Amino acid sequence: MADPLVLIAGAGPTGLVLAIWLTKLGVKVRIVDKAAEPGTTSRALAVQARTLELYHQVGLDDAVVAGGVKIKHINLWVKGRRAARVPLERTGEGLTPYAFALIYPQDAHERLLIERLASLGVRVERRTELLRFTQNDAGVTATLRRPDGSEEICQAAYLAGCDGAASTVRGQLGIEFPGGTYTGLFYVADIEAKGEAVADKDLHADLEEADFILLFPLKQQGHVRLVGTVRDVPERDGKLAFEDVKGRALEHLRLNVEKVNWFSTYRVHHRVANRFRGGRAFLLGDAAHIHSPVGGQGMNTGIGDAVNLAWKMAAVLKGNAHAKLLDTYEPERIPFARRLVATTDRGFTLVTSRGGLAGVVRTRIVPFVFPLLARLGAFRRLLFTTVSQTTVNYRDSSLSVGSAGKVQGGDRLPWIPLGSGEDNFAPLTSVDWQVHVYGEAGSGLREACAEARIPLHVFAWQPRMQHAGLQSGAVYLVRPDGYVALADPRADPEALRRYFRERGVHRGGSHA
């Protein structure tokens, strides 16, 4: 294929991020979505630190942070009173440039991604639906339905299924999507309100014996999102309205609701596809895995899928890697998706279970114990690293080799602030392979890097580097997505050459 194309089905955050990364890497994309416009109601609110790190690589982080709200505290309410206030600031200090919890609703998030993609010369093709596709060794032949109802044949090198839980791509691949649906109905409401819980721009959680309500602050003053359970409320004409559920929110969180911008109900599912790939077609985001909203992980995980696949597709299509590189996408992403579903399932069950014991845990034990644990630095660090996705690793991947210090192949590169606003993440904006040495680099290594056309970044040794797990003088080969591929304590130039030779990967490729 003279000018290889990646066809992306679905223009949610996962598909949009995939399109942005591929375009930045010089790959032609086409992104279609059967919806007439971007979603205006959304449940995804949290943007995790690892997502912001990946966004930094393509210049998106500042705009997302500017549009969002940094959460300073989480407040736990029981029986109409604030039972505990737990600080969240600085929980991840020293671990990442984004050591905070950020709320940025998905609808605004999508608009930003669409604008950035358009600035790169790519527009989402709306009211354009993927009907079916076939594939062979040469590529994918997809049939699209245009806005006027006519059909079009699209030839692509690869197909990315970012088309949600009811994925056409997954269905046509015949990939099973095992899991289930939680009992109970949940709601999300975008409202304008006044009250103590609105004014402080904090996160508020109302914990009751059989219910919960979460209040998320938005950027615009007085605007918040409410997420809660629907219990024992009869539906009117088959539909529910905010009027049916507002009593608990108004009473328990002392809200004075002035306007309801939108309201919707939904059910929560937990599923992971058996496979994330079928030939030249790949599954990402909700097409591959869906889980409970506990911890704000879903959208961020889909974005992680997109970045993982993007640099690999680009390397193969640019002739800088053997096609077998794409075989590493599923083994790297599916274990995390499975672990995530298991963990969020346990958390969601605790939050939503009815019954005496669950109610006692939520209303009496959690408000007492959680603030005490939050005083412990080790607990705050564990909480942050778990939720922020900064500890997601690919240690078991065939692309991951060696260990130096406490850093193993497959780990995210530790973040090191260097002073004067500089850090070791700055070179990652090249979105390409690179070698990092913390300390001194030998001449043999410099020659090997020059030979392979791999940038070598040498950072003067600082004690904080050892604290972060790095070893002085070791070689860290860093992938385009910021994960360590090779960690070599001996800094052997031949180890670097062998790594690329054995994996059919070499540095190169231009990007926009």
Side-chain angles (χ1 to χ4, degrees):
M1 192 174 294
D3 190 10
L5 169 82
V6 175
L7 175 62
I8 302 171
T14 299
L16 291 166
V17 171
L18 178 63
I20 288 171
W21 268 68
L22 285 171
T23 304
K24 286 272 191 179
L25 289 164
V27 174
K28 186 178 179 181
V29 302
R30 189 171 176 188
I31 179 168
V32 301
D33 197 298
K34 63 182 180 181
E37 58 184 17
T40 54
T41 64
S42 62
R43 298 189 296 276
L45 290 159
V47 181
Q48 304 298 351
R50 184 62 188 138
T51 297
L52 291 171
E53 291 175 355
L54 295 170
Y55 277 4
H56 170 68
Q57 293 188 246
V58 291
L60 279 167
D61 55 327
D62 288 343
V64 171
V65 173
V69 177
K70 295 180 183 179
I71 303 299
K72 296 181 178 179
H73 301 86
I74 179 170
N75 298 268
L76 306 179
W77 293 66
V78 177
K79 300 187 184 303
R81 67 177 186 85
R82 195 192 311 240
R85 192 176 197 222
V86 181
L88 295 181
E89 290 182 291
R90 302 170 64 180
T91 51
E93 192 171 41
L95 300 175
T96 173
Y98 312 99
F100 47 80
L102 184 74
I103 297 300
Y104 187 54
Q106 183 180 330
D107 45 350
H109 196 154
E110 282 188 21
R111 288 195 298 271
L112 172 65
L113 295 175
I114 290 167
E115 290 170 4
R116 287 302 175 94
L117 187 58
S119 74
L120 296 173
V122 179
R123 297 193 177 276
V124 176
E125 298 179 46
R126 293 284 171 192
R127 295 190 296 146
T128 302
E129 182 180 2
L130 172 69
L131 296 178
R132 55 192 173 272
F133 65 92
T134 60
Q135 56 177 314
N136 55 35
D137 291 342
V140 176
T141 301
T143 303
L144 305 177
R145 179 185 286 133
R146 293 172 168 149
D148 63 3
S150 64
E151 294 186 3
E152 172 194 355
I153 300 300
C154 174
Q155 300 289 344
Y158 297 106
L159 171 62
C162 306
D163 48 349
S167 171
T168 297
V169 176
R170 189 187 65 245
Q172 293 202 15
L173 289 173
I175 295 175
E176 294 182 4
F177 202 32
T181 303
Y182 294 102
T183 58
L185 191 64
F186 303 87
Y187 76 84
V188 57
D190 185 288
I191 66 171
E192 297 172 32
K194 290 182 178 178
E196 180 184 353
V198 176
D200 57 16
K201 291 287 187 181
D202 280 351
L203 173 62
H204 294 263
D206 175 54
L207 307 174
E208 297 301 323
E209 292 181 0
D211 299 278
F212 77 90
I213 300 169
L214 300 176
L215 182 150
F216 298 90
L218 302 182
K219 190 73 171 180
Q220 192 172 348
Q221 190 60 42
H223 288 241
V224 297
R225 290 273 167 92
L226 291 180
V227 177
T229 48
V230 177
R231 300 281 198 198
D232 307 319
V233 178
E235 295 188 18
R236 300 178 304 180
D237 302 323
K239 292 184 178 180
L240 286 173
F242 184 67
E243 292 295 317
D244 299 311
V245 300
K246 71 176 185 179
R248 292 188 179 97
L250 271 60
E251 178 184 348
H252 295 180
L253 293 175
R254 303 177 190 170
L255 296 180
N256 178 17
V257 178
E258 298 180 329
K259 183 180 179 182
V260 180
N261 294 315
W262 54 261
F263 172 86
S264 67
T265 58
Y266 62 98
R267 296 191 183 276
V268 174
H269 309 271
H270 50 104
R271 300 179 183 276
V272 180
N274 283 347
R275 293 182 290 125
F276 283 12
R277 181 187 184 184
R280 289 177 168 268
F282 297 81
L283 300 178
L284 302 84
D286 287 356
H289 46 80
I290 50 176
H291 27 77
S292 89
V294 168
Q297 301 294 298
M299 179 184 67
N300 295 274
T301 303
I303 290 168
D305 294 341
V307 173
N308 186 288
L309 184 60
W311 73 266
K312 295 172 182 177
M313 272 189 175
V316 171
L317 291 173
K318 290 291 183 180
N320 297 323
H322 189 278
K324 68 180 181 181
L325 177 64
L326 292 170
D327 295 341
T328 65
Y329 167 68
E330 180 183 302
E332 288 190 352
R333 295 304 296 174
I334 205 169
F336 175 61
R338 288 172 174 160
R339 286 195 304 272
L340 186 60
V341 165
T343 21
T344 56
D345 181 62
R346 289 192 292 269
F348 194 71
T349 300
L350 172 64
V351 170
T352 60
S353 291
R354 305 185 84 164
L357 179 59
V360 169
V361 170
R362 282 201 297 271
T363 62
R364 299 182 185 178
I365 297 177
V366 170
F368 176 72
V369 173
F370 187 55
L372 295 178
L373 289 174
R375 295 177 186 174
L376 304 175
F379 176 79
R380 291 198 306 271
R381 188 182 181 95
L382 175 63
L383 182 65
F384 180 84
T385 55
T386 301
V387 174
S388 67
Q389 300 196 354
T390 52
T391 53
V392 172
N393 68 76
Y394 305 131
R395 290 181 178 179
D396 295 329
S397 171
S398 60
L399 295 179
S400 304
V401 179
S403 64
K406 296 179 181 178
V407 176
Q408 298 183 36
D411 289 351
R412 158 191 167 271
L413 179 71
W415 175 65
I416 306 295
L418 302 172
S420 302
E422 300 296 321
D423 63 22
N424 67 325
F425 276 15
L428 301 181
T429 57
S430 68
V431 198
D432 211 341
W433 292 91
Q434 55 196 267
V435 170
H436 285 210
V437 174
Y438 298 85
E440 296 184 3
S443 59
L445 178 63
R446 294 182 183 276
E447 290 173 6
C449 289
E451 178 185 303
R453 297 187 298 124
I454 300 175
L456 171 62
H457 299 280
V458 181
F459 303 90
W461 182 256
Q462 299 178 17
R464 70 180 66 183
M465 294 172 176
Q466 183 176 5
H467 180 71
L470 297 165
Q471 179 177 318
S472 178
V475 159
Y476 298 95
L477 172 63
V478 184
R479 305 175 356 171
D481 57 357
Y483 287 88
V484 174
L486 167 68
D488 179 16
R490 297 185 301 131
D492 180 6
E494 185 54 35
L496 194 64
R497 295 185 179 99
R498 187 168 56 249
Y499 179 92
F500 285 109
R501 186 170 62 247
E502 291 178 352
R503 283 157 188 80
V505 178
H506 63 86
R507 193 260 179 181
S510 58
H511 47 83

